[in-house]
Amino acid sequence: MTEYQAKSANYLSFEVTKDDKLIGKLTYKNWFKLNALIELADNSGYQIEPKGFWGTTIELKEREKTLLKFKMNWNGEIIVQTFFSGIEKDYIFKSRGIFRDSFILTDEKGTELLAVKPHLKWNLMNYEYQITASEIFETFSHKEILLLSSLHFANYYMSMMTAAVGV
């Protein structure tokens, strides 16, 4: 198992590290928007933006090329499709635990790839995350993009659940 940390300097940006080495950054344009930017340590950049009239499907793009898309289903799971190297793969991001206090990313067979545990920093009123990756996940060629996207999934999930409770 490999451990990653995602720390937020403010409520609009997160830095993901492994052994104090920067893996990448997730930056939101606005707290109430789903639009975000992912920048990896190698300076490659990706845009996350809602698609369609209702914006229920969110896409991750490299320029105009869609590499990943996701949406929440009625069960409260986030259904993820990736298109890396022209190959489509499906994943599910969902909450787990008695109090639904953490998240997991699984493949289509149900194999756990990532576990994401949020920690609220009360003094700063923002979240930090501990992310544990399986040995299988560590073999993925696009693991950094999927890792930072999973951080976005966790933020998206928590914002959707907060909105549902507030209604």
Side-chain angles (χ1 to χ4, degrees):
M1 297 288 189
T2 303
E3 297 290 327
Y4 297 91
Q5 292 74 39
K7 295 186 179 182
S8 177
N10 58 50
Y11 61 91
L12 293 176
S13 66
F14 292 84
E15 287 190 350
V16 176
T17 59
K18 178 179 122 182
D19 300 326
D20 294 323
K21 182 181 176 194
L22 182 67
I23 304 299
K25 297 178 185 180
L26 172 67
T27 306
Y28 292 93
K29 295 179 181 181
N30 181 316
W31 180 245
F32 298 104
K33 301 283 184 184
L34 297 173
N35 298 50
L37 298 172
I38 289 177
E39 183 181 351
L40 300 182
D42 67 3
N43 292 319
S44 56
Y46 307 88
Q47 305 81 33
I48 300 173
E49 52 195 32
K51 178 185 175 194
F53 181 74
W54 297 105
T56 56
T57 298
I58 293 95
E59 294 183 337
L60 178 135
K61 293 183 173 189
E62 181 178 36
R63 295 179 199 86
E64 295 301 315
K65 183 178 181 183
T66 301
L67 299 177
L68 180 150
K69 60 170 80 170
F70 69 93
K71 65 182 175 180
M72 188 173 281
N73 69 14
W74 292 105
N75 296 333
E77 299 170 334
I78 295 175
I79 307 303
V80 181
Q81 294 177 297
T82 63
F83 308 97
F84 301 126
S85 303
I87 300 169
E88 181 178 337
K89 294 211 177 194
D90 298 328
Y91 302 93
I92 297 174
F93 188 85
K94 59 186 175 181
S95 64
R96 79 162 177 197
I98 295 171
F99 299 107
R100 299 191 180 273
D101 59 347
S102 64
F103 305 97
I104 57 171
L105 178 72
T106 64
D107 64 14
E108 66 277 357
K109 296 176 187 171
T111 304
E112 187 176 315
L113 302 171
L114 284 177
V116 180
K117 176 84 174 163
H119 300 283
L120 178 63
K121 297 295 182 181
W122 287 100
N123 57 335
L124 302 173
M125 286 310 292
N126 61 20
Y127 283 94
E128 292 184 354
Y129 297 88
Q130 179 179 350
I131 304 169
T132 305
S134 70
E135 291 176 14
I136 295 169
F137 181 83
E138 288 299 311
T139 66
F140 288 8
S141 60
H142 295 88
K143 69 180 178 184
E144 292 85 2
I145 297 170
L146 199 50
L147 177 70
L148 276 107
S149 295
S150 293
L151 177 59
H152 184 69
F153 304 155
N155 288 329
Y156 175 73
Y157 189 96
M158 290 193 300
S159 69
M160 295 302 286
M161 292 302 109
T162 301
V165 170
V167 172

